[in-house]
Amino acid sequence: MFPTHSALSRRRFLKTTASLGAAATVPWLIPGRALGFDGAVAPSNRITVGGIGMGVRVENMDLSAFLTQPDVQFVAACDVRDCRRQWAKTAIDNYYHNKDCAIYSDFRELLGRKDIDAVLIATGDRWHAKASMIAAEAGKDIYSEKPCAITIELCGRLADTIRRYGRVFQGGPQRRSISNFVWAVNLARSGKLGKIKAVRATTYEMREEHGWFVGQPEPPKEVVDWNLWLGPAPWRPYNAHYLTGGWRGFYDLDTGARLHDWGAHTVDLCQWANNADGTVPVEYEPANGTRYLRARYANGVDLTIGWVGNECFEDGWHNLGTCSVRFEGDQGWVETGDSGKVVVYPESLRNDRAALPESGIDPRTHIRNFLDCVKTREQPVCNADVIRSSHIACHCLYLTWLLNRRLKFDPAREEFIGDDEANRLRSRPERDPWNA
Amino acid sequence: MMQRSFFLNVLAVALLCSTGLTWAADPRPGSVIMKLPTDKLVELARDANAPIVERALACRRLGAIGTKDAVPAVAALLSDAKLNIYARQALEGISDPSALDALRDSAKTLRGPQLAGVLESLGAKRDTAAIDLLVSYLDDKDVAAASAAARALGRIATQESVKPLVQSLSQRPTLRTATLDALLIGAGRMAASSKPSDIDTAVAVYKRLADENADGNAKDTEIPKHVRIAAMSAIMRIPGRDETARMLSLLRSTDKDYFRVGLAAAAGMSGAGVAAALTAEFEKLPAEKQALVMVALGDRNDVPLPFVLATVRSGKSPEVRKAAVDGLAKLHGPEAAASLLALAMSNDAMSAAAAQALRNTLNVAVDATIVDQLSKASNKDKTLLFKLVGDRAIQAAKPAMIQSLNDADPAVQAAALDAIGNIANASDFQTLLDLAFTVRGQSPKKALRLLALRMADRETVAAKIAGQSLGASPENVKLALSLLGDVGGKTALQIVAAAARSTDPAVKNEATRALGVWATADAAPFLLDIAKNDSEDKYRTRALRGYIRIARRMPMPPNARLDAFRSAMTIAKRDGEKRLALGVAAVAATPESLQVLLPFLANASLKSAAADALVEVAGKIVQQQPQAVHTAMEAVVKAGVSGKSGDRAKQLFDQTKGAAKN
């Protein structure tokens, strides 16, 4: 019998990188970082990548992070909007000084290319899981922006599909690869804070819309393919505002009333710090007028999520930037956030903090981890099983907020105990059979 | 004139025509629909004159709370191209059998995407009563519908649903991807079943997809490699099957993808003969494969110790030997522990790797082995052993370590002192306190500090440190004040605050230094007092900076923070401190922060810092206080601030123009 996929893969990942860091005699199996890339990589050794969804996230963050990896060749870009396709082609061709980047409006054409090893999926939330699963079925490895799955049921299906096809999957919560967060998590996991009692995470204030924008005439399909933009989400009339971020907050298009926007990072870090990858809290408590929700793991650890802001928690919150988290043990605590600052008690635990090389939100290290795993076939730090549990924890918190009542959850069965309405909200049908 | 009359007439006609008309009603907000009771939702779903968005939301809500009473109304919408998805949402949520009946009935008449969607819903519900219906659609000329039927059959995952998929595999190339996926889904669910017949079916499917005849040779080159690999991996994961030969064959493969499948199996496959087969195969593999296979063997915990030790000694390459050392650390029992420790204490090239492995190994026998070795080790080895004791926090080694705290060999004493802080507890506090005040060097002080910071009873710790420092040398008083600063708490604060008023410059210097970085906000009044009243500029400045630090970083209500800002500004003489203080008002982030910051735009040397703070506050409160933000940003823009803050101020100013008009 096998250990679980995530346990096996992460343990082996750690062992392999630790024990074979200098094993340059096995170049076809060793990560690029270990080989110490110091110049051009032969085209035959490069990972060919295609991008699906070339919006502002890609423009601001992901594309340059991929392009600057010496063993990546970005060969194709896909977007349902012509303006974004053209932008992507120009950016990629300019980088390589050629005209080779192919562009597509339908990602299934891109997936049909046998020369593409991996895809970056950076569409809106509604497409992430579905596109990832179709990519896996086409034999591609996947880096998917978060939130990676819009319902509890999809979290499971996504992880099952990735496992079924043995693909390498990295979810977008890149703070698992950013040093100040990793340091804080390791501190919690090391036992130096004593027994962990509570973990805290910040998220956006939750908000959800249920209606539609008024309909506008649909542009020609070559300009914007509205049907493909909607994808598996329920039909609604076209409105240009959706295309530029206006979809955020809508039940059918966004995830968890915006909880997953930061929660995919911060709840994920709490799960990690609590050594709870592979499970989720079992009890949930609504806000009841406060600015936070509470949950409890089976091991007794409390998880609290507070709306991001100065005073989101009542007692001693340091507000260290967006995505702030705090881990509290019976012998100390640590808090950090996107500012890169770390507050730790007792101060003696800060010993090696000065040696940390980076902080911030740059996804480069996270993407590097993905690319290394594409070569070694290990599973990355934010693999589909990790995403499954951390996203489900967020979904349970969201449903607690939505239904405004206490919920109990069975992590093994991935269902609520004694709450039919909550259970029905675990899944949604997908519009149109995109797998054809 | 004629033209004017014409337009007036048209206007009059238009006004007459509009009399008695009203605008078409806007749809009600979604939040209203979400609160309707079930019967109203059913009415709404049925009402062809209702706005389509309201009918859609009614269906969606019925998916969460609807009963069989809702089924006829929503089933009628399955044929609607736009509402089909919402109707499916309702029917998938309703557990009454009539919902499945409605889906099946509609599948007999629908076409196009609506049909495909309904077939997907039947799969999602794992409706075994729909198998024949779904099988009939495998031949449908509509590829989307046929693919949906295939996938639904895979999700249902019974003998009856999976077998037709196998039969259809070679019939329609356009359905191949969907059928392959359906088969993998179906086989996966059946492999997890407790019924032997289901497991047999799963194995048969996997073998078909792994592209094998009975002799293991390929027969269908149309099956993509990644699907073959998926099937092979799945077969090897099924409990109770001997797949050792397949795993070894994969390890021999020259294709890296197949080798990697074998590697994963080597780590995880159970069975009595697996480890023996792997160790036999190991010698035949090239060194670059051996290194990775050794890592996999390390995961198994059932590889014989002699094999691992032999590989440690004479592996084909340093990487193989290193992997074997890590493998040795994965084994349990005293023999493995002794071997690893002996290697760490040797002069072998792998000794450092062994020492590192000893720090992290989960082999509990290692602790006892180290304690045992301490009693007979040479001084050279004791330094390593004490380091390991500290890293592993081996309490049983404490007597030996306490004994060595005064060892004649300085290296041994230093190693013991370095490590004792990690394993000492409250009962050892006085011992370490005495050592820190009597033994020269940093190690005892570091050990004491580590212990002091771990102890929960801060007040007692502070009192003991203070008692020890009475009549102590200046150097030890300095140490005591520094320790008290780290420990914190009420007692420590009172002692350090009193020392900060000392006439002894050395004591005062250390005490104000400790107060300046105090970890809690209760040091603020003491710092403020020094900042206001001390006779020396150096201490006033230090205290003021400490006060500002607390006001910026510690939790406190916005009003208290603004009071602290005003106090700091009143005292501050230099621009440097004033700039820091401006940051306090920025952290408070209220409309009042804007008011107190605005006057500093007129101060040339503080303008830039004031603008930074104003923009920071504005960004935080723009949603709640757009008008106040607009006014403040207008002032920043008019002040001619350049750079990032200037740009951001302009942006916020533009963003809040609407608020200004209101």
Side-chain angles (χ1 to χ4, degrees):
Chain A
M1 251 159 312
F2 281 60
T4 65
H5 196 238
S6 58
L8 170 68
S9 57
R10 260 175 288 115
R11 191 168 72 241
R12 286 178 46 70
F13 167 72
L14 291 170
K15 286 180 55 166
T16 305
T17 50
S19 61
L20 297 176
T25 53
V26 280
W28 54 286
L29 289 164
I30 295 301
R33 188 181 49 231
L35 287 173
F37 286 122
D38 53 359
V41 176
S44 58
N45 271 339
R46 289 184 203 166
I47 299 166
T48 49
V49 179
I52 298 170
M54 305 303 288
V56 288
R57 169 73 192 184
V58 174
E59 183 171 350
N60 294 338
M61 288 266 185
D62 294 345
L63 185 60
S64 65
F66 268 96
L67 287 175
T68 51
Q69 303 290 340
D71 53 345
V72 160
Q73 188 76 24
F74 216 102
V75 297
C78 171
D79 201 288
V80 296
R81 289 177 291 166
D82 183 55
C83 61
R84 298 310 302 174
R85 287 194 292 275
Q86 299 305 333
W87 167 81
K89 177 165 174 59
T90 304
I92 294 164
D93 285 349
N94 284 347
Y95 184 83
Y96 290 123
H97 303 295
N98 62 28
K99 300 285 180 195
D100 294 348
C101 178
I103 50 176
Y104 303 89
S105 60
D106 188 328
F107 72 98
R108 292 168 295 184
E109 289 179 45
L110 184 150
L111 293 176
R113 279 181 55 167
K114 290 188 174 171
D115 63 327
I116 290 179
D117 300 315
V119 289
L120 158 67
I121 296 174
T123 58
D125 296 13
R126 65 206 172 278
W127 258 120
H128 286 158
K130 192 68 190 169
S132 296
M133 291 191 288
I134 297 173
E137 288 159 23
K140 312 299 183 195
D141 294 326
I142 300 133
Y143 183 101
S144 168
E145 273 303 337
K146 56 85 199 170
C148 302
I150 205 165
T151 64
I152 289 175
E153 185 253 355
L154 263 180
C155 292
R157 273 173 63 201
L158 172 64
D160 289 346
T161 305
I162 297 299
R163 186 176 190 191
R164 192 158 64 244
Y165 285 95
R167 306 323 306 169
V168 169
F169 178 94
Q170 176 83 301
Q174 80 269 23
R175 285 162 183 81
R176 275 219 183 205
S177 301
I178 288 175
S179 63
N180 56 306
F181 292 104
V182 174
W183 188 85
V185 166
N186 283 340
L187 194 62
R189 290 170 66 104
S190 71
K192 290 179 182 171
L193 301 177
K195 181 171 165 44
I196 296 297
K197 298 286 188 188
V199 288
R200 299 183 182 213
T202 49
T203 69
Y204 280 131
E205 183 159 6
M206 294 171 73
R207 166 168 73 73
E208 191 161 68
E209 305 279 341
H210 292 281
W212 298 343
F213 291 138
V214 292
Q216 295 173 340
E218 276 186 40
K221 192 176 169 183
E222 305 76 55
V223 177
V224 177
D225 188 336
W226 177 240
N227 187 44
L228 201 50
W229 188 93
L230 280 172
W235 177 88
R236 62 177 55 208
Y238 171 81
N239 185 299
H241 190 52
Y242 290 121
L243 305 179
T244 51
W247 54 270
R248 290 191 181 278
F250 281 99
Y251 175 89
D252 290 331
L253 307 173
D254 204 345
T255 313
R258 308 198 308 166
L259 187 149
H260 290 65
D261 276 356
W262 288 141
H265 293 286
T266 55
V267 172
D268 176 62
L269 291 164
C270 288
Q271 291 259 123
W272 196 18
N274 184 27
N275 208 10
D277 284 342
T279 188
V280 299
V282 293
E283 291 180 357
Y284 298 82
E285 188 181 316
N288 287 334
T290 66
R291 292 170 61 80
Y292 44 83
L293 296 167
R294 290 183 191 281
R296 213 190 77 241
Y297 289 91
N299 67 358
V301 171
D302 284 320
L303 164 67
T304 313
I305 62 160
W307 314 159
V308 70
N310 263 349
E311 310 293 340
C312 79
F313 294 118
E314 290 159 345
D315 47 343
W317 189 250
H318 285 259
N319 191 28
L320 300 176
T322 46
C323 284
S324 285
V325 288
R326 185 154 84 180
F327 314 131
E328 300 170 354
D330 56 12
Q331 293 177 29
W333 52 263
V334 61
E335 185 178 324
T336 190
D338 281 347
S339 65
K341 293 175 186 165
V342 176
V343 180
V344 57
Y345 179 84
E347 271 286 325
S348 60
L349 295 172
R350 191 184 286 273
N351 284 348
D352 57 349
R353 168 74 182 133
L356 292 176
E358 61 170 325
S359 60
I361 57 171
D362 191 337
R364 224 164 289 252
T365 310
H366 204 55
I367 286 171
R368 185 65 250 165
N369 172 231
F370 167 66
L371 296 168
D372 287 346
C373 291
V374 168
K375 294 181 173 184
T376 64
R377 310 315 295 169
E378 303 289 343
Q379 281 295 324
V381 291
C382 240
N383 61 57
D385 291 316
V386 167
I387 289 290
R388 179 184 198 143
S389 47
S390 63
H391 274 43
I392 288 177
C394 289
H395 282 299
C396 291
L397 286 160
Y398 154 66
L399 289 173
T400 304
W401 171 83
L402 181 73
L403 299 173
N404 196 31
R405 58 176 174 254
R406 286 171 186 264
L407 294 176
K408 288 187 175 181
F409 192 74
D410 179 343
R413 300 174 66 88
E414 293 183 352
E415 65 184 34
F416 293 96
I417 299 167
D419 197 310
D420 180 54
E421 186 178 356
N423 276 328
R424 291 204 209 181
L425 291 168
R426 287 177 304 154
S427 65
R428 302 174 200 173
E430 293 158 359
R431 191 179 63 97
D432 287 353
W434 296 103
N435 309 293
Chain B
M1 189 67 181
M2 277 185 65
Q3 197 177 26
R4 187 178 173 193
S5 299
F6 171 76
F7 281 118
L8 285 172
N9 289 338
V10 171
L11 181 62
V13 171
L15 284 170
L16 281 171
C17 290
S18 69
T19 307
L21 292 182
T22 56
W23 292 101
D26 282 336
R28 286 171 288 178
S31 55
V32 172
I33 309 298
M34 289 294 128
K35 288 175 187 150
L36 292 176
T38 316
D39 56 337
K40 296 290 179 194
L41 292 168
V42 173
E43 271 178 36
L44 192 51
R46 196 176 278 134
D47 183 358
N49 294 319
I52 185 172
V53 61
E54 292 193 8
R55 300 181 80 192
L57 295 179
C59 287
R60 191 222 279 163
R61 183 70 181 132
L62 286 167
I65 62 169
T67 62
K68 65 179 180 182
D69 297 338
V71 170
V74 292
L77 301 177
L78 286 169
S79 58
D80 185 299
K82 293 169 181 170
L83 291 174
N84 165 274
I85 177 72
Y86 295 97
R88 285 173 55 208
Q89 204 160 351
L91 292 171
E92 283 192 22
I94 296 169
S95 57
D96 189 81
S98 61
L100 283 176
D101 292 341
L103 285 167
R104 265 182 256 118
D105 287 345
S106 70
K108 292 169 188 163
T109 55
L110 294 176
R111 298 300 304 165
Q114 291 93 297
L115 168 62
V118 165
L119 298 180
E120 294 271 5
S121 287
L122 290 168
K125 300 293 288 181
R126 300 189 71 179
D127 179 22
T128 51
I131 290 175
D132 290 343
L133 179 73
L134 291 164
V135 170
S136 73
Y137 277 111
L138 287 177
D139 296 327
D140 199 280
K141 63 183 178 188
D142 177 354
V143 174
S147 297
R151 199 172 298 272
L153 288 166
R155 293 177 81 175
I156 292 170
T158 63
Q159 304 272 352
E160 296 73 22
S161 73
V162 167
K163 281 177 181 166
L165 290 170
V166 178
Q167 287 157 10
S168 75
L169 188 56
S170 53
Q171 289 168 7
R172 290 185 71 181
T174 49
L175 278 192
R176 186 174 291 274
T177 301
T179 309
L180 289 170
D181 188 50
L183 281 167
L184 284 172
I185 292 171
R189 287 189 165 171
M190 295 179 84
S193 158
S194 55
K195 284 199 269 180
S197 57
D198 281 356
I199 296 171
D200 289 345
T201 300
V203 171
V205 169
Y206 285 139
K207 285 197 165 187
R208 174 73 177 86
L209 299 185
D211 190 19
E212 286 175 358
N213 285 320
D215 58 3
N217 293 325
K219 63 178 181 183
D220 183 351
T221 53
E222 291 299 313
I223 293 180
K225 183 181 179 183
H226 72 275
V227 173
R228 293 206 301 273
I229 284 176
M232 283 182 200
S233 302
I235 290 178
M236 292 190 289
R237 280 200 297 268
I238 295 177
R241 291 181 53 79
D242 183 3
E243 292 288 338
T244 311
R246 183 192 300 274
M247 181 261 291
L248 295 177
S249 163
L250 289 164
L251 287 178
R252 290 175 204 131
S253 174
T254 53
D255 182 307
K256 62 185 177 185
D257 295 325
Y258 287 112
F259 170 71
R260 287 164 180 164
V261 177
L263 198 60
M269 185 180 284
S270 60
V274 177
L278 274 167
T279 52
E281 183 68 23
F282 187 81
E283 288 307 318
K284 302 171 198 165
L285 296 171
E288 64 265 28
K289 281 188 176 180
Q290 277 191 346
L292 288 159
V293 171
M294 193 67 232
V295 174
L297 287 170
D299 277 340
R300 298 187 56 81
N301 279 329
D302 64 353
V303 179
L305 178 63
F307 169 79
V308 179
L309 289 175
T311 313
V312 169
R313 275 195 303 273
S314 51
K316 283 182 184 172
S317 69
E319 289 75 28
V320 176
R321 293 190 68 204
K322 169 71 169 60
V325 171
D326 290 339
L328 182 57
K330 287 285 176 191
L331 297 179
H332 292 275
E335 214 177 337
S339 302
L340 198 56
L341 187 56
L343 183 63
M345 294 192 299
S346 73
N347 292 321
D348 191 279
M350 289 293 134
S351 63
Q356 182 61 39
L358 279 165
R359 280 179 198 112
N360 303 320
T361 179
L362 300 177
N363 182 357
V364 291
V366 161
D367 290 1
T369 307
I370 289 172
V371 173
D372 179 56
Q373 193 65 37
L374 263 175
S375 62
K376 50 195 173 194
S378 67
N379 281 359
K380 172 180 164 287
D381 288 340
K382 272 186 181 169
T383 55
L384 169 67
L385 292 169
F386 280 141
K387 180 98 182 81
L388 290 170
V389 166
D391 288 344
R392 294 182 63 85
I394 305 173
Q395 290 294 323
K398 201 159 73 177
M401 189 168 272
I402 297 279
Q403 207 174 7
S404 295
L405 291 174
N406 292 307
D407 200 286
D409 184 334
V412 173
Q413 186 194 29
L417 283 167
D418 276 343
I420 189 73
N422 282 345
I423 62 168
N425 56 29
S427 66
D428 305 310
F429 188 78
Q430 191 61 50
T431 306
L432 289 193
L433 195 55
D434 293 340
L435 276 169
F437 277 70
T438 53
V439 177
R440 297 179 72 81
Q442 289 304 307
S443 294
K445 297 169 180 59
K446 185 182 165 194
L448 177 63
R449 198 180 298 274
L450 278 175
L451 176 58
L453 288 167
R454 284 212 316 272
M455 288 176 63
D457 185 359
R458 296 177 186 200
E459 306 307 325
T460 304
V461 168
K464 279 182 181 286
I465 293 171
Q468 192 83 10
S469 67
L470 287 174
S473 66
E475 189 189 346
N476 281 344
V477 171
K478 196 174 155 184
L479 169 65
L481 288 168
S482 161
L483 282 168
L484 288 168
D486 285 346
V487 169
K490 287 178 184 168
T491 306
L493 180 58
Q494 293 296 336
I495 295 167
V496 174
R501 289 189 288 269
S502 169
T503 53
D504 181 332
V507 170
K508 184 171 185 172
N509 189 42
E510 193 58 40
T512 51
R513 196 190 300 277
L515 272 183
V517 292
W518 205 260
T520 51
D522 50 358
F526 298 105
L527 287 163
L528 187 60
D529 180 53
I530 297 168
K532 278 180 180 171
N533 302 318
D534 201 276
S535 57
E536 289 188 60
D537 183 56
K538 171 179 145 185
Y539 298 124
R540 286 199 305 272
T541 303
R542 180 181 288 171
L544 178 58
R545 284 180 171 252
Y547 180 75
I548 293 171
R549 174 183 160 275
I550 286 175
R552 283 176 73 132
R553 292 182 52 177
M554 304 289 169
M556 61 180 73
N559 285 344
R561 216 181 288 280
L562 285 176
D563 287 345
F565 162 75
R566 292 188 188 96
S567 299
M569 271 302 187
T570 308
I571 299 167
K573 299 281 189 296
R574 298 184 185 85
D575 284 345
E577 279 79 47
K578 287 178 182 173
R579 288 194 196 99
L580 288 175
L582 290 170
V584 175
V587 176
T590 64
E592 197 183 348
S593 305
L594 298 174
Q595 294 307 313
V596 299
L597 286 165
L598 279 170
F600 295 97
L601 285 173
N603 182 326
S605 59
L606 296 178
K607 183 168 84 173
S608 174
D612 290 348
L614 280 160
V615 164
E616 185 181 337
V617 175
K620 288 176 180 171
I621 65 171
V622 64
Q623 298 299 335
Q624 301 83 23
Q625 301 286 343
Q627 200 156 358
V629 166
H630 187 78
T631 307
M633 293 303 98
E634 185 176 23
V636 175
V637 172
K638 281 185 179 168
V641 176
S642 58
K644 269 189 183 175
S645 289
D647 294 344
R648 178 72 175 135
K650 179 76 171 58
Q651 188 188 8
L652 287 163
F653 175 71
D654 291 341
Q655 183 184 332
T656 49
K657 271 180 181 165
K661 286 174 193 162
N662 296 331

